Amino acid sequence: MHLLLSVENARARAVQEALRSNEGVLLVRVQGGAPAPAIDVFARMKAPMADDARTLAFVPSEGGHPSAPPSELDWLTISVWGWIGTACVLLVCGFYAFMPQLERRAARQRARRSAPPR
């Protein structure tokens, strides 16, 4: 299979290094469909393009394995932050639910202290 590869300038050196160090193997991640400007360029070049063409994102790799973890959030990270947020919300709601009881208790104690002895 032959692929036509276009890389933005910021990644060109990293892609060249990856191709050299990985013996011509380039690790990529499949993303969404091809953008409309790319389809227009292929049409002007009269280059064949599949109807279900996809965009590929370069993944820095060493020996075919990713050299850095993916930058996007995974579900574990999202769920951990979700549980922490839920715990904080429950803590604040619980604080406001028990606040009136604590105020009544404090008022009773102040009343007892200020009452004259019997």
Side-chain angles (χ1 to χ4, degrees):
M1 171 189 282
H2 297 282
L3 297 173
L4 181 61
L5 179 65
S6 175
V7 181
E8 66 257 9
N9 290 336
R11 294 268 186 164
R13 178 167 288 198
V15 169
Q16 290 174 352
E17 291 296 322
L19 286 171
R20 278 191 214 108
S21 64
N22 293 328
E23 297 154 6
V25 175
L26 186 64
L27 190 61
V28 295
R29 180 177 52 249
V30 178
Q31 293 184 326
I39 295 172
D40 293 341
V41 169
F42 275 87
R44 275 188 258 128
M45 291 171 36
K46 296 183 181 169
M49 185 170 178
D51 293 336
D52 61 345
R54 297 282 177 244
T55 302
L56 302 177
F58 166 66
V59 177
S61 61
E62 295 174 10
H65 300 289
S67 57
S71 60
E72 69 269 355
L73 292 174
D74 59 351
W75 283 109
L76 178 62
T77 305
I78 292 170
S79 64
V80 166
W81 283 110
W83 282 111
I84 290 172
T86 302
C88 290
V89 166
L90 290 175
L91 185 63
V92 169
C93 289
F95 177 74
Y96 282 110
F98 288 108
M99 194 64 168
Q101 292 177 2
L102 293 174
E103 288 174 353
R104 283 193 298 270
R105 183 176 177 188
R108 280 194 308 262
Q109 287 177 352
R110 279 193 301 266
R112 281 188 206 142
R113 287 184 195 148
S114 63
R118 295 186 207 189

